[in-house]
């Protein structure tokens, strides 16, 4: 089985489970470290000619991260394309099972069973807090409705204030975000790389939790450690 992945989290999942199956991945596929495969461009602008030249048996993609015209072009060229949709934690586990089976995994990998058990064992949050979760600035964009990251946070006791917005990633003026008066601001390091020096200064007086995008937005081996890592970052922001 020769696989090309256009999704960073799926790249990691396949590489860890089926060493040698991946022949291509995007420039943004940074895990596992040292992954040695042909790079095929970005998630939004893959080099379809390079993908075709690799002769994959399967291309794995995601409805949110990859553009339909690129996937249609690969299908038109005769490639099999599997497109995932992940909006919740349970859906992530179902889609990972589907992807790994399609890639030829003979059995469910131990890391996936462990990750599912970790999430299933989470106790109900003792306290719920509200948050805004920027994912971009210039312009400011935040988590809106129906997102995987929003479901992750909700399971950890954090309700983001734009979960009912009509858009999944609405543009919201900074003044409105401040006026919403959340209990805290959650700042991931991707897709925009918020840091201690770039992001918190826009929300004076509000606790800010800097979190890794891999733990907040990726669905793969990182799911096993995500609850503990994210919970620690959220607690630290409230001290």
């Amino acid at each position: 089985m020769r696989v090309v992945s256009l999704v960073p989290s799926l790249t990691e999942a396949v590489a860890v489970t089926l060493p040698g199956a991946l022949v291509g991945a995007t420039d943004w596929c940074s895990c596992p470290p040292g992954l040695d495969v042909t790079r095929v461009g970005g998630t939004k602008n893959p080099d379809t000619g390079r993908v075709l030249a690799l002769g994959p048996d399967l291309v794995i993609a995601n409805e949110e991260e990859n553009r339909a015209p690129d996937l249609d072009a690969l299908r038109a060229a005769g490639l099999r394309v599997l497109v995932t949709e992940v909006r919740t934690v349970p859906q992530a586990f179902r889609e990972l099972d589907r992807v790994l089976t399609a890639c030829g995994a003979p059995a469910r990998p131990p890391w996936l069973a462990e990750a599912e058990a970790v999430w299933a064992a989470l106790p109900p949050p003792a306290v719920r807090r509200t948050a805004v979760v920027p994912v971009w600035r210039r312009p400011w964009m935040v988590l809106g409705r129906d997102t995987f990251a929003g479901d992750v946070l909700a399971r950890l006791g954090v309700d983001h204030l734009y979960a009912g917005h009509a858009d999944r990633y609405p543009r919201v003026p900074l003044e409105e975000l401040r006026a919403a008066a959340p209990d805290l601001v959650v700042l991931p390091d991707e897709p925009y790389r918020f840091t201690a020096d770039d992001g918190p200064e826009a929300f004076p007086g509000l606790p800010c939790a800097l979190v890794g995008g891999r733990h907040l937005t990726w669905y793969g081996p990182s799911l096993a450690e995500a609850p503990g890592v994210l919970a620690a970052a959220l607690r630290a922001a409230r001290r």
Side-chain angles (χ1 to χ4, degrees):
M1 174 68 74
R2 294 170 60 84
V3 180
V4 170
S5 173
L6 303 181
V7 186
S9 55
L10 294 177
T11 296
E12 183 179 19
V14 174
V16 168
T17 306
L18 296 162
L22 278 171
V23 295
T26 74
D27 299 339
W28 298 105
C29 294
S30 57
C31 291
L35 180 67
D36 185 17
V37 297
T38 299
R39 300 295 172 161
V40 297
T43 57
K44 302 296 185 188
N45 57 344
D47 185 330
T48 55
R50 191 174 298 173
V51 173
L52 288 169
L54 289 171
D57 301 297
L58 179 67
V59 176
I60 50 179
N62 175 261
E63 51 89 28
E64 179 175 74
E65 295 194 49
N66 308 118
R67 300 185 314 146
D70 295 320
L71 304 183
D72 289 342
L74 294 173
R75 291 190 187 96
L79 295 185
R80 178 187 175 202
V81 180
L82 187 159
V83 182
T84 58
E85 178 182 305
V86 177
R87 308 285 178 92
T88 67
V89 172
Q91 192 175 24
F93 292 122
R94 292 195 297 271
E95 290 289 66
L96 284 165
D97 275 325
R98 185 166 73 101
V99 167
L100 294 175
T101 297
C103 290
R108 201 172 201 233
W111 67 260
L112 184 52
E114 176 192 354
E116 190 163 26
V118 167
W119 280 95
L122 277 182
V127 177
R128 302 205 67 85
R129 291 177 282 168
T130 60
V132 294
V133 189
V135 294
W136 202 260
R137 68 182 300 176
R138 294 186 293 271
W140 286 93
M141 299 175 68
V142 299
L143 290 186
R145 65 169 178 84
D146 199 21
T147 64
F148 173 70
D151 189 56
V152 165
L153 289 172
R155 292 169 187 273
L156 297 174
V158 177
D159 302 311
H160 69 93
L161 294 178
Y162 291 88
H165 198 282
D167 298 327
R168 296 187 67 210
Y169 299 98
R171 297 186 180 189
V172 183
L174 180 58
E175 296 75 17
E176 182 179 327
L177 297 179
R178 292 170 176 160
D183 295 322
L184 76 161
V185 180
V186 178
L187 297 169
D189 63 7
E190 60 176 72
Y192 185 91
R193 188 173 181 79
F194 288 105
T195 67
D197 300 318
D198 185 356
E201 82 290 343
F203 301 94
L206 288 175
C208 291
L210 293 165
V211 303
R214 179 169 171 266
H215 292 112
L216 182 62
T217 65
W218 287 33
Y219 44 98
S222 58
L223 277 170
E225 63 184 23
V229 172
L230 291 171
L234 295 170
R235 285 194 303 269
R238 294 289 291 170
R239 290 174 183 164

